[in-house]
Amino acid sequence: MINNYNKRIMKKISYLVFVLSITCSLFAQSSDKEYFKKGYIKEILNKTAEWQLANPKHEPRDWTNGAFYAGVFAAWETTKSPELYRAMKEMGQQHNWTPWKRWYHADDIAICQMYVDLYRLEKNRQMIRSTIDTLALFFNRPYPVKGIEVIKWWWCDALFMAPPVLVKLGMVTGDQTYLKKNDEYYRECYDLLYNKEERLFARDLNYVIKGDEKDRWEANGKRIFWSRGNGWVLGGLARILQELPKDYPQRSFYETLFKEMASRIVELQQEDGLWRASLLDPESYPGGEVSGSGFFCYALAWGINNNLLDKKTYLPAVKKCWVALNQCVNEEGRVGWVQPVGADPRKNFNADSWEVYGTGAFLLAGSEVIKLKGL
């Protein structure tokens, strides 16, 4: 009798657990839908952008803020927030619309993406004059670092920092020189760092030079391919393709590369929706990394919105990532789980780790997710 009683109790408990699991699943799905409502997306974009503007880090014109302000402009296009527009204009005016220190370094002109975008709206030549002058030096002087002066962009991050500036400037001025120079320098970097078998970019020369003393490997024996580094590249490609005319002679090169990388990136997404700091050895890097994941989310969503990526294949990855990214934003609007400044995969971040480029990636992602149809 006791056994029968226990069996009935266990049966009821099992049923309740089943019902609870179904309820939780339905609740989670219902909650997830909130992340895709236009009102919510606009609210979270403004909230995260405003938190970051209120908590500055680094020199306003360096590469970290170049990525952040690219996201701020995209967020402003989405929300039309007067606060965001005012913040961008004030930043440019305070620094007389100048790039950062190094005329020869891609990182120090990343901020010029925002300058050109604002120039498009206001037609104030002052906004792009220093960018034009800096690129004239860049084109006509050798790189002042011995041994690499023949390669303008020898690290993969550069492909987010500089190419969108050149292409944007070429389009607003009508000067094809900027587009041709971008093609030349981009190809140099591609030939140097792109691994055609893995469809990923090595971070820099240190990861492609042959010889045991130079090769770098992960714990599982795979080559090192850095998540954020490849996020820079894929995000940069989206920004290049957004600008280039459909009939531009070299457009097919960028489209093909974008599709190749996207197909590989979606294979490497983890179950929680994020990517790990090291793309080919996720087990060694617990915890999703938000800056790389944010750029991937942005680029994949952009590809769907612009009919370069198959919606059926890529939309599930974008949706899963956008949900996960939002779960990394705290109540104040701070975007966490961002790997600090570096040049390779690390484990030195957690929920409290934030960086301005992580917020920039989140803003870019949201600006494209909101455009997705059929969610």
Side-chain angles (χ1 to χ4, degrees):
M1 186 173 179
I2 294 176
N3 287 340
N4 289 335
Y5 175 78
N6 287 339
K7 286 180 181 179
R8 289 198 301 272
I9 292 295
M10 292 303 297
K11 188 174 182 179
K12 287 181 179 180
I13 291 173
S14 297
Y15 176 75
L16 288 172
V17 169
F18 172 74
V19 171
L20 182 61
S21 66
I22 293 297
T23 303
C24 290
S25 176
L26 291 173
F27 177 75
Q29 292 176 21
S30 176
S31 299
D32 289 352
K33 289 181 180 179
E34 294 294 317
Y35 295 130
F36 297 96
K37 292 182 177 180
K38 293 185 185 298
Y40 169 81
I41 294 176
K42 290 181 180 181
E43 181 180 349
I44 198 66
L45 292 184
N46 284 333
K47 185 176 183 179
T48 52
E50 289 168 8
W51 184 91
Q52 193 63 77
L53 288 166
N55 294 272
K57 186 188 284 192
H58 313 296
E59 211 286 336
R61 293 166 294 172
D62 80 354
W63 64 270
T64 60
N65 282 302
F68 170 57
Y69 279 103
V72 174
F73 187 86
W76 170 79
E77 285 187 306
T78 303
T79 71
K80 301 303 181 186
S81 163
E83 288 79 11
L84 299 190
Y85 197 86
R86 182 166 55 251
M88 290 187 289
K89 279 202 68 175
E90 287 178 354
M91 180 273 174
Q93 290 169 343
Q94 288 170 4
H95 298 280
N96 202 27
W97 305 100
T98 56
W100 190 213
K101 294 179 178 179
R102 299 167 294 181
W103 57 262
Y104 55 86
H105 205 288
D107 288 2
D108 286 6
I109 64 169
I111 193 64
C112 300
Q113 295 183 44
M114 184 194 75
Y115 296 167
V116 180
D117 285 335
L118 289 175
Y119 167 76
R120 270 199 178 114
L121 299 172
E122 301 208 2
K123 304 303 182 196
N124 178 357
R125 191 75 174 178
Q126 182 67 20
M127 292 176 168
I128 60 172
R129 184 171 293 119
S130 291
T131 303
I132 292 172
D133 293 343
T134 299
L135 286 175
L137 292 175
F138 181 67
F139 293 159
N140 297 313
R141 291 188 185 179
Y143 204 98
V145 180
K146 187 176 181 181
I148 60 173
E149 61 269 15
V150 295
I151 302 292
K152 297 285 190 179
W153 302 329
W154 47 269
W155 68 109
C156 72
D157 319 20
L159 300 182
F160 179 91
M161 309 304 170
V165 177
L166 271 66
V167 176
K168 286 174 181 288
L169 198 59
M171 296 309 298
V172 301
T173 63
D175 188 343
Q176 293 286 304
T177 301
Y178 297 108
L179 304 183
K180 292 177 181 178
K181 288 292 187 180
N182 180 68
D183 294 339
E184 176 186 347
Y185 303 150
Y186 202 108
R187 288 273 191 170
E188 287 179 346
C189 187
Y190 169 86
D191 291 339
L192 188 71
L193 301 180
Y194 188 58
N195 186 307
K196 294 182 179 179
E197 292 182 359
E198 291 290 354
R199 291 166 282 154
L200 297 169
F201 274 78
R203 195 276 169 174
D204 56 47
L205 283 168
N206 290 319
Y207 297 90
V208 296
I209 296 174
K210 302 299 181 183
D212 291 340
E213 75 284 0
K214 293 288 185 179
D215 283 345
R216 298 190 180 187
W217 309 88
E218 287 289 9
N220 65 357
K222 301 284 188 178
R223 283 193 175 277
I224 296 176
F225 289 101
W226 186 31
S227 177
R228 184 161 70 236
N230 281 275
W232 289 127
V233 179
L234 198 61
L237 280 166
R239 296 176 73 73
I240 292 169
L241 289 166
Q242 181 68 39
E243 300 288 339
L244 288 178
K246 297 295 184 183
D247 60 351
Y248 182 68
Q250 299 302 315
R251 183 181 173 90
S252 61
F253 164 74
Y254 298 105
E255 282 194 4
T256 298
L257 180 58
F258 179 81
K259 292 176 182 178
E260 284 181 1
M261 289 190 69
S263 67
R264 183 60 171 136
I265 289 304
V266 79
E267 294 171 355
L268 300 171
Q269 186 180 30
Q270 299 302 297
E271 187 60 33
D272 62 4
L274 301 176
W275 285 261
R276 299 302 180 258
S278 182
L279 292 173
L280 301 190
D281 190 12
E283 289 77 13
S284 294
Y285 297 84
E289 201 285 307
V290 159
S291 63
S293 298
F295 284 115
F296 292 145
C297 185
Y298 160 63
L300 296 178
W302 182 90
I304 295 169
N305 288 331
N306 289 273
N307 300 314
L308 285 181
L309 298 179
D310 175 60
K311 186 175 181 179
K312 183 178 180 180
T313 301
Y314 291 93
L315 183 58
V318 171
K319 290 174 68 176
K320 184 183 288 189
C321 184
W322 179 243
V323 170
L325 289 173
N326 277 270
Q327 293 170 348
C328 295
V329 180
N330 74 0
E331 292 181 0
E332 296 178 318
R334 185 193 70 196
V335 180
W337 287 101
V338 179
Q339 184 188 341
V341 173
D344 54 12
R346 296 293 175 94
K347 305 173 186 179
N348 57 342
F349 60 95
N350 55 40
D352 295 322
S353 302
W354 63 271
E355 263 294 351
V356 295
Y357 48 77
T359 307
F362 181 85
L363 297 174
L364 286 168
S367 73
E368 287 298 325
V369 169
I370 199 171
K371 300 173 188 174
L372 291 167
K373 297 179 180 178
L375 293 175

